Amino acid sequence: MEEIVKSGLAAGTWEGDAAESGAGAAAVGEPVPVVRLENVVKTYSMGDSQVHALRGISFSINAGEFVSIMGPSGSGKSTCMNMIGCLDRPTSGIVEINGRDISGMNEKELAALRNRTVGFVFQQYHLIPSMNVLENVMLPLKYQRVERGERARRAQAALEAVGLSDRLRHRPHELSGGQKQRVAIARAMVTGPKILLADEPTGALDSETGLQVMDMFRQINKEEGTTVIIVTHDPRIGESTKRCIRILDGRIENQND
C-alpha cells in the first residue's frame, strides 16, 4: 500500500477540473452522485480458473453522504473499494467517480483522478517510517506540485485539526496506534478530497480509540461536507453510519438508510 501512497499520487492534478464540471450536470436541488456503479462485474483469472469478485452490483453514493460498505472476508467489498478508489477497473459495467467513467482510463489518468478526488485511510496506517509526521502529511501535496511553504502550512493545519500539532517532528514509531491513524486521516484530508475512503480504519485499534476515530470521521463529514465511505467487516461500524451497503458473494445483499 505504500506504493499507492507514493507513486499512486505522483501523476499530478487532473487538468481543467473536468470532473468537477461534469459532476454538476444534475438539476439544482437534486443529489449529486460522486460514486456510481452500474451492473459492475469484476473477474480475476487465477491460472485456469476465474474468480468472480463482483457479480453485477449497482449503487450510487451522493455528495456529503456518510456510508459504510460492509461484508465478510471474500464478499467483494475490497474489490468494490478498489473501484471507488480508482485502483482498479471493472471487467464490465460502469464505474463513475465524480462524474467520470473510469472504465477506459489508463494508469496515469486513474492516478490523476485519484489524487484529485480521493483521500485514503488504511487499517495499518501506511505512514512512511523515514519521514516525520509533518512530512508524511505534506507528501500528497508534493505530488500536486504545491510549493513547499504552502505544503507545510496546509499540513500543519490538517494536523492541528486532528489534535496533533504537538507531534509534528515525531516519527511514526514514536506514536500510539490512535495517533498514527489521526496522522493518516490528516494526510487523507490535506488535499481537500471529495471522497474520504477508509479501509477497516478501526481494525488495528482498541474499542475506545476506534470510537474516537469514528467520531472524527463524523465530524469531517458534518463540518467539511466530505463524502465518507467506510469499508468494514464489523457490523457495529456498519450500523453506526447513516447508510450501510451490505455485500455478500459479490452481490448487493441489501442497502439501508
Side-chain angles (χ1 to χ4, degrees), residues 192-214:
K194 293 183 177 295
I195 300 167
L196 184 60
L197 183 59
D199 181 20
E200 302 281 5
T202 63
L205 305 174
D206 62 73
S207 57
E208 182 178 351
T209 306
L211 289 173
Q212 293 171 358
V213 167
M214 287 301 296

Side-chain angles (χ1 to χ4, degrees), residues 6-218:
K6 295 183 77 174
S7 64
L9 294 171
T13 59
W14 188 264
E15 295 182 1
D17 290 342
E20 283 78 357
S21 61
V28 174
E30 290 184 5
V32 178
V34 291
V35 174
R36 186 174 78 90
L37 279 69
E38 182 178 326
N39 199 28
V40 171
V41 172
K42 183 62 181 180
T43 304
Y44 297 99
S45 296
M46 306 285 288
D48 294 332
S49 62
Q50 291 189 322
V51 176
H52 301 282
L54 297 177
R55 300 169 181 262
I57 67 171
S58 300
F59 64 85
S60 294
I61 297 174
N62 292 328
E65 281 201 85
F66 185 30
V67 179
S68 58
I69 298 174
M70 188 176 74
S73 178
S75 62
K77 67 181 185 299
S78 294
T79 303
C80 190
M81 180 196 76
N82 289 343
M83 299 292 168
I84 295 171
C86 304
L87 298 170
D88 202 354
R89 291 173 290 258
T91 303
S92 64
I94 296 171
V95 177
E96 287 185 357
I97 305 301
N98 203 29
R100 298 195 68 95
D101 186 353
I102 72 168
S103 304
M105 287 186 180
N106 60 35
E107 293 302 324
K108 184 176 180 180
E109 291 170 330
L110 283 172
L113 181 59
R114 182 165 65 238
N115 187 23
R116 171 70 71 178
T117 308
V118 184
F120 290 93
V121 178
F122 302 106
Q123 178 178 347
Q124 297 298 334
Y125 326 123
H126 296 294
L127 303 177
I128 297 174
S130 61
M131 293 182 174
N132 65 32
V133 164
L134 182 63
E135 290 167 337
N136 265 280
V137 177
M138 288 170 61
L139 185 62
L141 296 171
K142 177 181 179 180
Y143 293 123
Q144 287 193 348
R145 300 182 179 89
V146 176
E147 185 270 329
R148 182 174 177 80
E150 179 65 10
R151 295 202 303 264
R153 187 193 67 77
R154 291 192 202 176
Q156 288 180 42
L159 285 162
E160 183 176 353
V162 298
L164 288 176
S165 57
D166 59 342
R167 295 289 189 272
L168 302 184
R169 304 302 173 186
H170 288 63
R171 296 193 184 276
H173 73 271
E174 299 175 300
L175 305 177
S176 68
Q179 289 172 332
K180 290 177 184 176
Q181 196 60 292
R182 282 190 280 162
V183 174
I185 292 170
R187 181 182 60 193
M189 290 299 297
V190 74
T191 59
K194 293 183 177 295
I195 300 167
L196 184 60
L197 183 59
D199 181 20
E200 302 281 5
T202 63
L205 305 174
D206 62 73
S207 57
E208 182 178 351
T209 306
L211 289 173
Q212 293 171 358
V213 167
M214 287 301 296
D215 284 342
M216 191 167 293
F217 286 130
R218 290 188 191 93

